[in-house]
Structures are given as C-alpha cells and as structure tokens.
Amino acid sequence: MQEVDNCLIQEKQKAVEYLKANGFCFNTIKGLYWKKLKFNGKTIYFRVVLPQKFPLEYPKFYVDQKDWYLKYPHIEKSKEYGLNICYVDKEDKVAI
C-alpha cells in the first residue's frame, strides 16, 4: 500500500510541476492553480483544481467568463470557482 501511495504522490507532484512550468500560479487561500490567458481577444482567468485523490480523480477546470454559460457546450455553473468546464461524461470518471 505504501508503494501505491508513493506513486500517487509522485504523479500529483508531476502535475504540479507541469502547471508551474507552464506559468500557473498557486492560490493558497482557494487551493487552486490559475493563469491569466487571452482568448478571443478577452483576458480570462483559467483555474485548475487538483483533487486530493489525483490521479485517481480528474482535475477540475474553471473559467470566470459568465457570458459563456449557455453559449458554449459543457460550461456549467459552479458556486466555488466560476464556470466549470465539463470535459468527460459521468461514467468516464470511474478509475479502473
């Protein structure tokens, strides 16, 4: 069991290193990584939340563009971090 836990910790650390290497900053208050991006001529804040059980659970992605809700598919409202970008079907989220 210790070996599995170490593997999970290493995989999460790789994800953190990847985010940091690509310009994401960590918000200690909200516990998420964020980056300011230009998209269609607008500045947006893209947020990534790595779950405690990563990589067994998928990360979550959020944007702050409220006008995207109902305009683009797979954009859902979230009370925590803005608009959630849903990128997989519910049945695809089960770890095998």
XYZ file of all heavy atoms in Angstrom:
821
model
N 0.821 -1.197 0.000
C 0.000 0.000 0.000
C 0.868 1.265 0.000
O 0.526 2.242 -0.641
C -0.927 -0.049 1.221
C -1.967 1.004 1.196
S -3.065 0.771 -0.205
C -4.433 1.667 0.317
N 1.964 1.216 0.710
C 2.883 2.359 0.770
C 3.415 2.697 -0.619
O 3.562 3.854 -0.974
C 4.041 2.052 1.734
C 5.056 3.158 1.872
C 4.535 4.338 2.669
O 3.555 4.235 3.378
N 5.198 5.453 2.537
N 3.673 1.650 -1.421
C 4.196 1.861 -2.769
C 3.171 2.578 -3.647
O 3.518 3.467 -4.432
C 4.564 0.507 -3.381
C 5.311 0.628 -4.686
C 5.776 -0.721 -5.195
O 6.312 -1.504 -4.393
O 5.598 -0.966 -6.393
N 1.902 2.206 -3.521
C 0.836 2.858 -4.280
C 0.708 4.316 -3.861
O 0.592 5.210 -4.704
C -0.506 2.106 -4.101
C -1.651 2.894 -4.716
C -0.423 0.717 -4.691
N 0.729 4.565 -2.558
C 0.635 5.941 -2.057
C 1.788 6.790 -2.581
O 1.586 7.939 -2.979
C 0.623 5.965 -0.529
C -0.670 5.418 0.056
O -1.685 5.382 -0.671
O -0.660 5.026 1.240
N 2.992 6.244 -2.585
C 4.150 6.976 -3.103
C 3.993 7.290 -4.585
O 4.346 8.380 -5.036
C 5.434 6.192 -2.868
C 5.861 6.189 -1.414
O 5.448 7.046 -0.632
N 6.666 5.218 -1.040
N 3.445 6.340 -5.335
C 3.221 6.552 -6.769
C 2.220 7.683 -6.991
O 2.424 8.546 -7.849
C 2.726 5.269 -7.408
S 2.436 5.409 -9.177
N 1.139 7.695 -6.202
C 0.133 8.754 -6.325
C 0.716 10.120 -5.981
O 0.447 11.112 -6.664
C -1.074 8.447 -5.437
C -1.880 7.200 -5.806
C -2.994 6.967 -4.788
C -2.446 7.299 -7.207
N 1.520 10.171 -4.951
C 2.169 11.431 -4.561
C 3.089 11.920 -5.673
O 3.108 13.107 -6.008
C 2.934 11.255 -3.225
C 1.937 11.065 -2.080
C 3.859 12.439 -2.962
C 2.568 10.609 -0.778
N 3.837 11.015 -6.272
C 4.745 11.381 -7.356
C 3.980 11.904 -8.571
O 4.403 12.883 -9.199
C 5.610 10.185 -7.759
C 6.643 9.819 -6.733
C 7.380 8.534 -7.089
O 7.105 7.914 -8.124
N 8.308 8.129 -6.236
N 2.867 11.268 -8.901
C 2.077 11.716 -10.044
C 1.481 13.100 -9.804
O 1.439 13.928 -10.704
C 0.980 10.698 -10.373
C 1.507 9.405 -10.947
C 2.327 9.603 -12.208
O 1.863 10.311 -13.123
O 3.437 9.043 -12.291
N 1.021 13.354 -8.596
C 0.479 14.680 -8.281
C 1.590 15.725 -8.343
O 1.381 16.831 -8.852
C -0.197 14.681 -6.915
C -0.946 15.964 -6.649
C -1.853 15.861 -5.461
C -2.705 17.099 -5.324
N -3.663 16.986 -4.218
N 2.772 15.362 -7.860
C 3.894 16.307 -7.917
C 4.270 16.622 -9.361
O 4.588 17.755 -9.693
C 5.097 15.748 -7.149
C 6.232 16.741 -7.020
C 5.821 18.031 -6.324
O 5.035 18.026 -5.386
N 6.342 19.143 -6.793
N 4.200 15.623 -10.245
C 4.467 15.863 -11.664
C 3.459 16.847 -12.247
O 3.811 17.717 -13.041
C 4.413 14.552 -12.454
C 5.582 13.634 -12.234
C 5.389 12.360 -13.049
C 6.382 11.294 -12.687
N 6.110 10.035 -13.437
N 2.191 16.708 -11.859
C 1.155 17.626 -12.344
C 1.419 19.042 -11.848
O 1.289 20.008 -12.608
C -0.226 17.147 -11.901
N 1.799 19.167 -10.591
C 2.110 20.486 -10.018
C 3.290 21.107 -10.753
O 3.252 22.288 -11.124
C 2.389 20.365 -8.502
C 3.016 21.630 -7.956
C 1.112 20.020 -7.749
N 4.324 20.332 -10.991
C 5.499 20.836 -11.702
C 5.134 21.265 -13.123
O 5.628 22.285 -13.611
C 6.595 19.774 -11.723
C 7.223 19.545 -10.363
C 8.169 18.351 -10.331
O 8.525 17.821 -11.413
O 8.542 17.951 -9.227
N 4.273 20.507 -13.782
C 3.830 20.855 -15.130
C 3.089 22.192 -15.131
O 3.341 23.057 -15.976
C 2.931 19.749 -15.692
C 2.359 20.093 -17.041
C 3.096 19.863 -18.190
C 1.103 20.675 -17.165
C 2.592 20.189 -19.448
C 0.592 21.009 -18.405
C 1.334 20.769 -19.540
O 0.837 21.112 -20.772
N 2.165 22.361 -14.181
C 1.403 23.609 -14.107
C 2.331 24.795 -13.867
O 2.234 25.825 -14.537
C 0.339 23.523 -13.011
C -0.831 22.584 -13.303
C -1.674 22.382 -12.050
C -1.679 23.113 -14.444
N 3.237 24.653 -12.918
C 4.175 25.741 -12.612
C 5.079 26.056 -13.799
O 5.345 27.213 -14.085
C 5.000 25.391 -11.378
C 4.201 25.453 -10.099
C 5.072 25.123 -8.900
C 4.293 25.214 -7.610
N 5.142 24.886 -6.450
N 5.546 25.020 -14.495
C 6.414 25.223 -15.660
C 5.680 25.930 -16.792
O 6.308 26.560 -17.642
C 6.960 23.884 -16.154
N 4.359 25.851 -16.794
C 3.556 26.494 -17.835
C 2.902 27.786 -17.350
O 1.905 28.233 -17.921
C 2.513 25.511 -18.365
C 3.147 24.491 -19.273
O 3.448 24.779 -20.419
N 3.412 23.304 -18.746
N 3.466 28.385 -16.312
C 3.060 29.720 -15.894
C 1.874 29.806 -14.953
O 1.363 30.901 -14.714
N 1.415 28.691 -14.404
C 0.317 28.734 -13.442
C 0.837 29.125 -12.068
O 1.918 28.708 -11.665
C -0.386 27.372 -13.350
C -1.321 27.096 -14.485
C -0.842 26.624 -15.690
C -2.685 27.305 -14.354
C -1.695 26.365 -16.757
C -3.544 27.052 -15.403
C -3.057 26.575 -16.605
N 0.055 29.923 -11.367
C 0.371 30.334 -10.003
C -0.562 29.589 -9.051
O -1.675 29.228 -9.425
C 0.163 31.831 -9.833
S 1.189 32.827 -10.925
N -0.126 29.399 -7.816
C -0.951 28.709 -6.831
C -1.581 29.716 -5.883
O -0.900 30.585 -5.346
C -0.126 27.698 -6.038
C -0.955 26.863 -5.107
C -1.836 25.919 -5.606
C -0.859 27.029 -3.739
C -2.607 25.139 -4.750
C -1.618 26.266 -2.880
C -2.501 25.311 -3.380
N -2.880 29.615 -5.684
C -3.610 30.449 -4.734
C -3.802 29.627 -3.469
O -4.592 28.679 -3.453
C -4.961 30.864 -5.323
C -5.746 31.779 -4.408
O -5.792 31.584 -3.210
N -6.379 32.767 -4.993
N -3.074 29.962 -2.409
C -3.123 29.177 -1.180
C -4.465 29.287 -0.463
O -4.882 28.356 0.210
C -2.000 29.585 -0.211
O -2.070 30.989 0.020
C -0.639 29.233 -0.776
N -5.150 30.401 -0.625
C -6.445 30.580 0.047
C -7.500 29.672 -0.576
O -8.241 28.982 0.126
C -6.882 32.055 0.000
C -5.910 32.902 0.805
C -8.314 32.214 0.506
C -6.095 34.389 0.657
N -7.560 29.633 -1.904
C -8.568 28.821 -2.589
C -8.078 27.417 -2.926
O -8.866 26.554 -3.303
C -9.040 29.523 -3.864
C -9.809 30.790 -3.572
C -10.400 31.369 -4.822
C -11.230 32.596 -4.494
N -11.879 33.152 -5.671
N -6.788 27.169 -2.830
C -6.244 25.845 -3.107
C -6.319 25.444 -4.569
O -6.608 24.304 -4.895
N -6.041 26.405 -5.459
C -6.107 26.108 -6.885
C -4.968 26.795 -7.624
O -4.320 27.692 -7.112
C -7.451 26.541 -7.473
C -7.882 28.011 -7.328
C -7.233 28.926 -8.340
C -9.380 28.094 -7.443
N -4.734 26.320 -8.833
C -3.750 26.928 -9.732
C -4.504 27.793 -10.734
O -5.610 27.457 -11.140
C -2.947 25.847 -10.457
C -2.069 25.082 -9.505
C -2.552 23.978 -8.828
C -0.771 25.494 -9.251
C -1.767 23.293 -7.919
C 0.022 24.818 -8.348
C -0.478 23.725 -7.692
O 0.301 23.057 -6.779
N -3.919 28.917 -11.112
C -4.592 29.826 -12.034
C -3.574 30.445 -12.987
O -2.383 30.513 -12.695
C -5.352 30.918 -11.291
C -4.446 31.843 -10.529
C -3.962 31.661 -9.261
C -3.878 33.062 -10.991
N -3.136 32.691 -8.906
C -3.067 33.571 -9.951
C -3.967 33.769 -12.179
C -2.364 34.765 -10.077
C -3.261 34.960 -12.300
C -2.483 35.435 -11.247
N -4.120 30.875 -14.115
C -3.294 31.546 -15.117
C -4.171 32.506 -15.892
O -5.316 32.197 -16.212
C -2.690 30.515 -16.069
C -1.744 31.096 -17.091
C -1.100 30.000 -17.905
C -0.116 30.580 -18.906
N 0.571 29.529 -19.651
N -3.646 33.678 -16.180
C -4.340 34.665 -16.997
C -4.020 34.371 -18.457
O -2.859 34.255 -18.835
C -3.881 36.068 -16.603
C -4.659 37.173 -17.273
C -4.444 38.535 -16.656
C -3.031 39.001 -16.681
N -2.863 40.413 -16.287
N -5.086 34.216 -19.267
C -4.930 33.888 -20.680
C -5.688 34.872 -21.548
O -6.661 35.471 -21.110
C -5.495 32.484 -20.965
C -4.920 31.315 -20.188
C -5.752 30.069 -20.434
C -3.485 31.072 -20.607
N -5.268 34.991 -22.795
C -6.015 35.741 -23.801
C -6.784 34.732 -24.636
O -6.214 33.756 -25.131
C -5.076 36.544 -24.707
C -4.416 37.704 -24.022
C -5.369 38.860 -23.928
C -4.643 40.071 -23.390
N -5.524 41.188 -23.200
N -8.099 34.946 -24.790
C -8.945 34.054 -25.576
C -9.982 34.893 -26.287
O -10.732 35.624 -25.661
C -9.618 33.018 -24.662
C -10.468 32.033 -25.401
C -9.890 30.967 -26.058
C -11.841 32.188 -25.453
C -10.667 30.049 -26.742
C -12.629 31.283 -26.138
C -12.038 30.214 -26.785
N -10.002 34.809 -27.601
C -10.930 35.597 -28.431
C -10.877 37.085 -28.082
O -11.898 37.755 -27.982
C -12.360 35.078 -28.292
C -12.577 33.779 -29.025
O -11.783 33.390 -29.873
N -13.644 33.090 -28.700
N -9.676 37.583 -27.858
C -9.496 38.999 -27.572
C -9.831 39.428 -26.154
O -9.760 40.608 -25.837
N -10.199 38.488 -25.291
C -10.534 38.804 -23.904
C -9.508 38.165 -22.967
O -8.932 37.129 -23.273
C -11.916 38.259 -23.530
C -13.062 38.947 -24.215
C -14.374 38.391 -23.689
C -15.548 39.105 -24.321
N -16.818 38.607 -23.793
N -9.326 38.794 -21.822
C -8.493 38.211 -20.784
C -9.386 37.373 -19.890
O -10.415 37.842 -19.402
C -7.812 39.307 -19.951
O -6.975 40.081 -20.828
C -6.976 38.720 -18.849
N -9.002 36.116 -19.693
C -9.753 35.238 -18.801
C -8.808 34.662 -17.762
O -7.593 34.629 -17.958
C -10.449 34.083 -19.561
C -9.413 33.162 -20.210
C -11.429 34.592 -20.580
C -9.983 31.844 -20.670
N -9.365 34.233 -16.660
C -8.610 33.537 -15.638
C -9.006 32.070 -15.692
O -10.153 31.716 -15.466
C -8.874 34.127 -14.253
C -8.233 35.475 -14.093
C -8.921 36.630 -14.410
C -6.914 35.580 -13.667
C -8.328 37.875 -14.288
C -6.308 36.823 -13.549
C -7.022 37.957 -13.866
O -6.426 39.186 -13.753
N -8.043 31.243 -16.042
C -8.249 29.800 -16.144
C -7.768 29.179 -14.846
O -6.648 29.430 -14.402
C -7.454 29.267 -17.341
C -7.681 27.821 -17.632
C -8.904 27.377 -18.108
C -6.668 26.897 -17.444
C -9.115 26.042 -18.386
C -6.865 25.566 -17.727
C -8.095 25.138 -18.195
N -8.614 28.379 -14.219
C -8.303 27.790 -12.914
C -8.287 26.266 -13.007
O -9.111 25.681 -13.702
C -9.345 28.227 -11.903
C -9.403 29.723 -11.732
C -10.587 30.108 -10.851
N -10.670 31.537 -10.689
C -11.523 32.306 -11.349
N -12.369 31.781 -12.192
N -11.540 33.602 -11.149
N -7.358 25.664 -12.268
C -7.235 24.206 -12.221
C -7.209 23.776 -10.764
O -6.428 24.307 -9.972
C -5.934 23.721 -12.911
C -5.815 22.203 -12.819
C -5.869 24.194 -14.345
N -8.070 22.814 -10.428
C -8.092 22.249 -9.081
C -7.673 20.789 -9.186
O -8.314 20.000 -9.885
C -9.496 22.355 -8.447
C -9.517 21.679 -7.089
C -9.922 23.806 -8.325
N -6.580 20.455 -8.506
C -6.139 19.068 -8.441
C -6.772 18.434 -7.200
O -6.516 18.879 -6.086
C -4.615 18.978 -8.345
C -3.832 19.478 -9.550
C -2.337 19.433 -9.262
C -4.154 18.656 -10.779
N -7.600 17.397 -7.384
C -8.259 16.787 -6.228
C -7.274 16.057 -5.326
O -6.172 15.690 -5.760
C -9.265 15.826 -6.853
C -8.771 15.575 -8.223
C -7.969 16.772 -8.636
N -7.671 15.821 -4.088
C -6.820 15.103 -3.134
C -6.418 13.740 -3.679
O -5.305 13.293 -3.455
C -7.547 14.927 -1.805
C -7.656 16.201 -0.985
C -6.309 16.696 -0.539
O -5.732 17.576 -1.169
N -5.811 16.147 0.531
N -7.330 13.067 -4.373
C -7.075 11.713 -4.861
C -6.504 11.685 -6.279
O -6.559 10.662 -6.941
C -8.360 10.890 -4.803
C -8.846 10.668 -3.399
C -10.099 9.830 -3.390
C -10.593 9.622 -1.974
N -11.819 8.813 -1.954
N -5.962 12.803 -6.754
C -5.338 12.839 -8.072
C -4.169 11.854 -8.085
O -3.429 11.787 -7.110
C -4.822 14.254 -8.375
C -4.173 14.372 -9.718
C -4.935 14.595 -10.839
C -2.814 14.229 -9.870
C -4.357 14.695 -12.085
C -2.216 14.323 -11.110
C -2.990 14.556 -12.221
N -4.004 11.049 -9.095
C -4.621 10.995 -10.405
C -5.830 10.053 -10.501
O -6.319 9.817 -11.599
C -3.488 10.501 -11.295
C -2.717 9.581 -10.415
C -2.803 10.208 -9.045
N -6.294 9.527 -9.387
C -7.470 8.646 -9.426
C -8.748 9.424 -9.701
O -9.741 8.853 -10.131
C -7.602 7.868 -8.111
C -6.430 6.930 -7.798
C -6.639 6.266 -6.454
C -6.255 5.895 -8.902
N -8.743 10.716 -9.439
C -9.851 11.607 -9.793
C -9.316 12.656 -10.748
O -8.191 13.128 -10.597
C -10.416 12.295 -8.547
C -11.140 11.373 -7.611
C -11.685 12.105 -6.391
O -11.666 13.355 -6.369
O -12.118 11.414 -5.463
N -10.126 13.013 -11.714
C -9.725 14.002 -12.703
C -9.637 15.396 -12.084
O -10.407 15.731 -11.190
C -10.726 14.061 -13.854
C -10.721 12.847 -14.744
C -11.813 12.002 -14.792
C -9.622 12.554 -15.543
C -11.811 10.890 -15.618
C -9.616 11.450 -16.368
C -10.715 10.621 -16.403
O -10.700 9.530 -17.218
N -8.714 16.235 -12.587
C -8.699 17.634 -12.147
C -9.951 18.347 -12.654
O -10.622 17.880 -13.564
C -7.438 18.203 -12.792
C -7.122 17.291 -13.914
C -7.685 15.950 -13.579
N -10.253 19.479 -12.040
C -11.396 20.282 -12.476
C -10.869 21.595 -13.046
O -9.882 22.138 -12.562
C -12.338 20.535 -11.315
C -12.957 19.238 -10.845
C -14.019 19.466 -9.835
C -14.606 18.100 -9.480
N -15.674 18.170 -8.549
N -11.560 22.073 -14.080
C -11.147 23.284 -14.779
C -12.265 24.310 -14.722
O -13.434 23.965 -14.894
C -10.809 22.959 -16.242
C -9.717 21.938 -16.373
C -10.022 20.612 -16.613
C -8.388 22.305 -16.246
C -9.016 19.660 -16.736
C -7.376 21.361 -16.362
C -7.691 20.037 -16.602
N -11.897 25.569 -14.511
C -12.868 26.643 -14.359
C -12.422 27.875 -15.133
O -11.225 28.103 -15.321
C -13.017 27.033 -12.880
C -13.447 25.908 -11.997
C -12.524 25.087 -11.368
C -14.799 25.648 -11.769
C -12.927 24.044 -10.548
C -15.208 24.614 -10.948
C -14.262 23.818 -10.343
O -14.670 22.783 -9.534
N -13.392 28.668 -15.561
C -13.143 29.973 -16.164
C -14.057 30.985 -15.479
O -15.034 30.618 -14.833
C -13.389 29.978 -17.692
C -12.352 29.135 -18.414
C -14.775 29.514 -18.028
N -13.751 32.260 -15.659
C -14.534 33.306 -14.989
C -15.468 34.065 -15.928
O -16.069 35.045 -15.543
C -13.607 34.293 -14.281
C -12.656 34.999 -15.238
O -12.507 34.545 -16.387
O -12.057 35.993 -14.828
N -15.620 33.613 -17.167
C -16.444 34.309 -18.154
C -17.914 33.910 -18.014
O -18.353 32.932 -18.602
C -15.951 33.996 -19.562
C -14.551 34.456 -19.849
C -14.391 35.937 -19.644
O -13.752 36.340 -18.691
N -14.952 36.739 -20.498
N -18.686 34.661 -17.259
C -20.090 34.331 -17.015
C -20.921 34.333 -18.295
O -21.906 33.615 -18.392
C -20.685 35.285 -15.992
C -20.083 35.101 -14.628
C -20.673 36.040 -13.613
C -19.969 35.818 -12.282
N -20.392 36.713 -11.259
N -20.519 35.110 -19.293
C -21.275 35.143 -20.542
C -21.088 33.870 -21.383
O -21.770 33.685 -22.382
C -20.916 36.388 -21.363
C -19.443 36.460 -21.728
O -18.597 35.980 -20.952
O -19.146 37.007 -22.801
N -20.207 32.981 -20.984
C -20.028 31.722 -21.697
C -21.086 30.696 -21.329
O -21.307 29.739 -22.064
C -18.661 31.139 -21.416
C -17.533 31.875 -22.064
C -17.591 33.054 -22.752
C -16.172 31.479 -22.075
N -16.347 33.421 -23.184
C -15.456 32.473 -22.774
C -15.483 30.417 -21.557
C -14.086 32.397 -22.981
C -14.122 30.338 -21.746
C -13.436 31.321 -22.463
N -21.740 30.868 -20.194
C -22.760 29.912 -19.760
C -23.915 29.933 -20.758
O -24.398 30.991 -21.132
C -23.246 30.260 -18.353
C -24.299 29.323 -17.839
C -24.005 27.986 -17.612
C -25.583 29.762 -17.590
C -24.962 27.115 -17.139
C -26.549 28.902 -17.112
C -26.234 27.580 -16.890
O -27.195 26.718 -16.432
N -24.315 28.783 -21.209
C -25.358 28.556 -22.215
C -24.950 28.995 -23.621
O -25.705 28.826 -24.563
C -26.687 29.217 -21.829
C -27.317 28.722 -20.528
C -28.603 29.499 -20.243
C -27.608 27.235 -20.587
N -23.772 29.559 -23.779
C -23.269 29.950 -25.095
C -22.415 28.831 -25.688
O -22.481 28.577 -26.881
C -22.464 31.236 -24.985
C -21.971 31.768 -26.304
C -21.252 33.098 -26.125
C -20.766 33.644 -27.446
N -20.047 34.915 -27.266
N -21.620 28.205 -24.853
C -20.755 27.110 -25.281
C -21.171 25.820 -24.581
O -21.570 25.845 -23.422
C -19.287 27.411 -24.941
C -18.742 28.614 -25.656
C -18.510 29.799 -24.973
C -18.458 28.571 -27.011
C -17.998 30.912 -25.627
C -17.953 29.680 -27.673
C -17.725 30.848 -26.979
O -17.232 31.931 -27.628
N -21.059 24.690 -25.280
C -21.402 23.418 -24.623
C -20.389 23.068 -23.531
O -19.238 23.511 -23.575
C -21.350 22.403 -25.764
C -20.597 23.048 -26.859
C -20.672 24.527 -26.656
N -20.835 22.323 -22.566
C -20.002 21.799 -21.481
C -19.501 22.868 -20.513
O -18.506 22.666 -19.823
C -18.829 20.974 -22.023
C -19.263 19.845 -22.874
N -19.804 18.691 -22.357
C -19.294 19.688 -24.217
C -20.119 17.872 -23.347
N -19.826 18.452 -24.487
N -20.163 23.996 -20.454
C -19.851 25.025 -19.468
C -20.982 25.005 -18.442
O -22.141 25.212 -18.786
C -19.744 26.428 -20.104
C -18.665 26.469 -21.193
C -19.508 27.480 -19.042
C -17.248 26.405 -20.697
N -20.641 24.716 -17.195
C -21.636 24.592 -16.141
C -21.350 25.595 -15.031
O -20.200 25.941 -14.783
C -21.604 23.180 -15.556
C -21.841 22.097 -16.589
C -21.588 20.700 -16.045
O -21.009 20.567 -14.940
O -21.961 19.745 -16.728
N -22.388 26.023 -14.345
C -22.212 26.943 -13.227
C -21.607 26.216 -12.031
O -21.924 25.072 -11.763
C -23.549 27.570 -12.824
C -24.035 28.605 -13.795
C -25.248 29.309 -13.253
C -25.696 30.399 -14.208
N -26.853 31.125 -13.696
N -20.741 26.926 -11.333
C -20.125 26.417 -10.113
C -20.138 27.529 -9.081
O -19.791 28.664 -9.383
C -18.684 25.975 -10.388
O -17.997 25.736 -9.190
N -20.506 27.220 -7.869
C -20.545 28.234 -6.814
C -19.150 28.574 -6.307
O -18.921 29.649 -5.794
C -21.405 27.743 -5.652
C -22.871 27.650 -5.998
C -23.677 27.188 -4.819
C -25.134 27.056 -5.212
N -25.956 26.552 -4.123
N -18.214 27.645 -6.471
C -16.895 27.833 -5.880
C -15.945 28.718 -6.683
O -15.376 29.659 -6.160
C -16.220 26.478 -5.668
C -16.863 25.639 -4.605
C -16.143 24.327 -4.443
O -16.337 23.451 -5.303
O -15.380 24.208 -3.475
N -15.752 28.383 -7.965
C -14.644 28.988 -8.706
C -15.014 29.619 -10.037
O -14.154 29.867 -10.860
C -13.565 27.936 -8.962
C -13.083 27.238 -7.726
C -13.326 25.884 -7.534
C -12.389 27.919 -6.744
C -12.878 25.234 -6.405
C -11.945 27.279 -5.613
C -12.190 25.934 -5.442
O -11.760 25.297 -4.322
N -16.260 29.853 -10.299
C -16.648 30.400 -11.597
C -17.409 29.361 -12.389
O -18.186 28.601 -11.841
N -17.163 29.285 -13.670
C -17.827 28.312 -14.523
C -16.955 27.069 -14.681
O -15.775 27.161 -15.011
C -18.119 28.909 -15.897
C -19.083 30.090 -15.913
C -19.194 30.650 -17.323
C -20.451 29.695 -15.397
N -17.545 25.924 -14.449
C -16.864 24.650 -14.565
C -16.868 24.205 -16.023
O -17.888 24.297 -16.692
C -17.590 23.615 -13.693
C -16.950 22.255 -13.737
O -15.756 22.123 -13.951
N -17.756 21.235 -13.530
N -15.739 23.733 -16.507
C -15.658 23.170 -17.849
C -15.767 21.658 -17.703
O -14.871 21.003 -17.180
C -14.334 23.535 -18.547
C -14.189 25.045 -18.645
C -14.261 22.872 -19.928
C -12.832 25.494 -19.148
N -16.890 21.120 -18.142
C -17.131 19.681 -18.070
C -16.552 19.045 -19.329
O -16.948 19.382 -20.437
C -18.631 19.412 -17.963
S -19.023 17.665 -17.918
N -15.627 18.129 -19.171
C -14.949 17.575 -20.337
C -15.064 16.064 -20.460
O -14.534 15.480 -21.391
C -13.476 17.978 -20.340
C -12.727 17.580 -19.088
C -11.982 16.420 -19.042
C -12.782 18.373 -17.959
C -11.310 16.060 -17.901
C -12.108 18.020 -16.817
C -11.372 16.856 -16.783
O -10.715 16.494 -15.651
N -15.741 15.397 -19.523
C -15.956 13.953 -19.640
C -17.375 13.616 -19.206
O -18.000 14.348 -18.438
C -14.958 13.143 -18.773
C -13.548 13.270 -19.286
C -15.027 13.534 -17.313
N -17.881 12.510 -19.710
C -19.175 12.012 -19.253
C -19.017 11.431 -17.858
O -17.945 10.948 -17.494
C -19.700 10.925 -20.200
C -20.092 11.489 -21.551
O -20.486 12.666 -21.604
O -19.972 10.742 -22.542
N -20.096 11.451 -17.086
C -20.047 10.955 -15.701
C -19.516 9.529 -15.625
O -18.731 9.206 -14.765
C -21.440 11.016 -15.061
C -22.011 12.404 -14.980
C -21.398 13.181 -13.861
C -22.105 14.523 -13.729
N -21.295 15.545 -13.225
N -19.936 8.654 -16.527
C -19.494 7.264 -16.458
C -18.025 7.098 -16.814
O -17.412 6.093 -16.502
C -20.366 6.356 -17.342
C -20.404 6.736 -18.800
C -21.538 7.696 -19.143
O -22.224 8.221 -18.249
O -21.720 7.949 -20.328
N -17.419 8.104 -17.445
C -15.992 8.030 -17.768
C -15.104 8.404 -16.595
O -13.903 8.289 -16.684
C -15.651 8.979 -18.929
C -16.238 8.516 -20.242
O -16.625 7.335 -20.319
O -16.322 9.328 -21.167
N -15.670 8.842 -15.482
C -14.881 9.309 -14.359
C -14.507 8.198 -13.374
O -13.931 8.462 -12.345
C -15.637 10.411 -13.611
C -15.790 11.678 -14.415
C -16.439 12.753 -13.608
C -16.601 14.003 -14.426
N -17.206 15.096 -13.660
N -14.851 6.970 -13.668
C -14.566 5.869 -12.759
C -13.153 5.348 -13.029
O -12.820 5.002 -14.160
C -15.591 4.735 -12.934
C -15.274 3.569 -12.016
C -16.997 5.251 -12.686
N -12.325 5.288 -11.979
C -10.971 4.755 -12.129
C -11.037 3.235 -12.275
O -11.786 2.569 -11.575
C -10.135 5.117 -10.909
N -10.285 2.709 -13.213
C -10.295 1.255 -13.450
C -9.068 0.632 -12.831
O -8.005 1.110 -12.866
C -10.339 0.962 -14.972
C -11.626 1.521 -15.535
C -10.221 -0.519 -15.232
C -11.753 1.388 -17.028
